[in-house]
Amino acid sequence: MAKIKTHKAASKRFTLTKSGKVKLNHTNRRHKLGLKTAKRKRQLRKAGYLSEAMAPNIRTLIG
């Protein structure tokens, strides 16, 4: 049986933690930052975690 290839787009956007959670960076941090409040930009700095419902799909793509 052939190996499953890594989905490169998913591997660039998501990482797996040691405990198996799927970690991601928030969106909306690239441009038009003058329109966003400091609180919103500060909260977007922190990494987010994918919901447990969607995590199995991404785990299979990452490999």
Side-chain angles (χ1 to χ4, degrees):
M1 193 167 155
K3 290 185 188 176
I4 299 174
K5 289 188 177 182
T6 302
H7 191 279
K8 290 299 185 179
S11 66
K12 290 170 189 175
R13 288 166 174 79
F14 302 102
T15 55
L16 284 176
T17 62
K18 288 277 188 172
S19 62
K21 291 182 181 177
V22 180
K23 192 174 171 183
L24 56 95
N25 288 322
H26 285 109
T27 57
N28 300 319
R29 283 274 300 164
R30 295 288 181 192
H31 56 89
K32 290 189 176 179
L33 296 175
L35 301 176
K36 294 165 186 147
T37 63
K39 178 183 177 180
R40 184 172 166 197
K41 289 184 280 190
R42 188 171 58 247
Q43 288 173 343
L44 290 173
R45 236 181 270 152
K46 298 177 184 176
Y49 294 95
L50 204 61
S51 69
E52 287 302 317
M54 281 297 295
N57 298 333
I58 299 301
R59 279 192 209 105
T60 58
L61 291 175
I62 293 173

